[in-house]
């Protein structure tokens, strides 16, 4: 699936999700018979952008109904865009650390960037490691190759990583250590 196909899929999922949520969670109510099913549906939904990237903004709106039905006043709906067949994203926490060196050497956290690459799809998720090396990233559950870089490790040209692929369960994960190994 190309990036453009994914973006079109995200747009379609968003529009459908909004329509379903609006109808199921209180969408169509009649001004003459509150709460009664009116058989009236919203007008066709409008999407603000034909393409949206992960993390981008998308506005879905609807013109007025063609009958007396309406959306509840002040009601807003939140969409969470997911890839079909995948669980909701979960939080992963960890540290980018300098490791190795002489016996009993400290393993300080270091600032930099940590990348999670989904082994099944190739999708990449990035997080910024703060000055103490801590990072948080939100990813779908699955298997990931995890790497990192830091300006404090080989002038930012060296690659750091986990020893083995990292499994992120549906419950999330804490304590991931991305090691920049001193020789």
């Amino acid at each position: 699936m190309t990036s453009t196909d994914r973006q079109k899929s995200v747009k379609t999922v968003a529009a459908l999700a909004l329509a379903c949520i609006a109808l199921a969670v209180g969408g169509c109510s009649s001004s003459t018979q509150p709460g009664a099913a009116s058989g009236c549906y919203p007008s066709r939904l409008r999407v603000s952008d034909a393409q949206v990237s992960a993390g981008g903004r998308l506005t879905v709106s609807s013109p007025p109904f063609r009958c007396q039905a309406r959306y509840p006043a002040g009601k807003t709906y939140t969409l969470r865009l997911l890839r079909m067949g995948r669980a909701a994203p979960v939080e992963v926490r960890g540290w980018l650390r300098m490791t190795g060196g002489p016996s009993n050497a400290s393993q300080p956290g270091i600032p930099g960037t940590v990348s999670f690459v989904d082994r099944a799809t190739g999708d990449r998720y990035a997080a910024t490691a703060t000055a103490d090396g801590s990072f948080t990233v939100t990813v779908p559950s699955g298997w990931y190759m995890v790497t990192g870089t830091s300006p404090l490790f080989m002038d930012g040209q060296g690659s750091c990583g986990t020893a083995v692929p990292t499994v992120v369960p549906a419950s999330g994960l804490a304590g991931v250590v991305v090691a920049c190994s001193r020789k």
Side-chain angles (χ1 to χ4, degrees), residues 19 21-30 40 42 65 69-72 77:
I21 291 169
L23 292 172
V25 182
C28 289
S29 63
S30 169
C40 175
F65 286 58
R70 66 186 182 283
Y71 288 107
Y77 301 91

Side-chain angles (χ1 to χ4, degrees), residues 76-98:
T76 60
Y77 301 91
T78 302
L79 300 178
R80 176 177 257 177
L81 304 180
L82 304 173
R83 174 168 291 157
M84 298 299 291
R86 302 274 319 251
V90 295
E91 191 172 86
V92 177
R93 294 177 183 216
W95 296 271
L96 181 60
R97 293 198 181 278
M98 191 75 75

Side-chain angles (χ1 to χ4, degrees), residues 16-17 25 41 48 60 73 77 110 114 117 130 144 152:
L16 292 174
V25 182
Y41 297 98
S48 63
V60 180
Y77 301 91
I110 55 176
V114 176
V117 178
T130 61
Y144 291 88
L152 302 179

Side-chain angles (χ1 to χ4, degrees), residues 18-19 21-24 26-31 36-46 61-73 77:
L18 180 63
I21 291 169
L23 292 172
C28 289
S29 63
S30 169
S31 62
S38 66
C40 175
Y41 297 98
S43 299
R44 185 177 179 138
L45 297 173
R46 295 182 189 149
S61 59
S62 173
F65 286 58
R66 293 185 199 133
C67 61
Q68 295 178 341
R70 66 186 182 283
Y71 288 107
Y77 301 91

Side-chain angles (χ1 to χ4, degrees), residues 38-178:
S38 66
C40 175
Y41 297 98
S43 299
R44 185 177 179 138
L45 297 173
R46 295 182 189 149
V47 180
S48 63
D49 194 350
Q51 297 182 356
V52 62
S53 301
R57 287 192 165 250
L58 176 72
T59 301
V60 180
S61 59
S62 173
F65 286 58
R66 293 185 199 133
C67 61
Q68 295 178 341
R70 66 186 182 283
Y71 288 107
K75 181 72 175 171
T76 60
Y77 301 91
T78 302
L79 300 178
R80 176 177 257 177
L81 304 180
L82 304 173
R83 174 168 291 157
M84 298 299 291
R86 302 274 319 251
V90 295
E91 191 172 86
V92 177
R93 294 177 183 216
W95 296 271
L96 181 60
R97 293 198 181 278
M98 191 75 75
T99 63
S103 180
N104 295 325
S106 68
Q107 297 185 0
I110 55 176
T113 302
V114 176
S115 295
F116 282 67
V117 178
D118 188 314
R119 292 182 63 190
T121 65
D123 291 343
R124 179 178 298 272
Y125 303 87
T128 300
T130 61
D132 70 353
S134 64
F135 68 86
T136 302
V137 64
T138 303
V139 301
S141 59
W143 286 75
Y144 291 88
M145 294 303 298
V146 182
T147 59
T149 60
S150 173
L152 302 179
F153 179 70
M154 299 177 67
D155 294 325
Q157 303 304 309
S159 183
C160 313
T162 55
V164 295
T166 301
V167 178
V168 177
S171 58
L173 186 62
V176 174
V177 175
V178 182

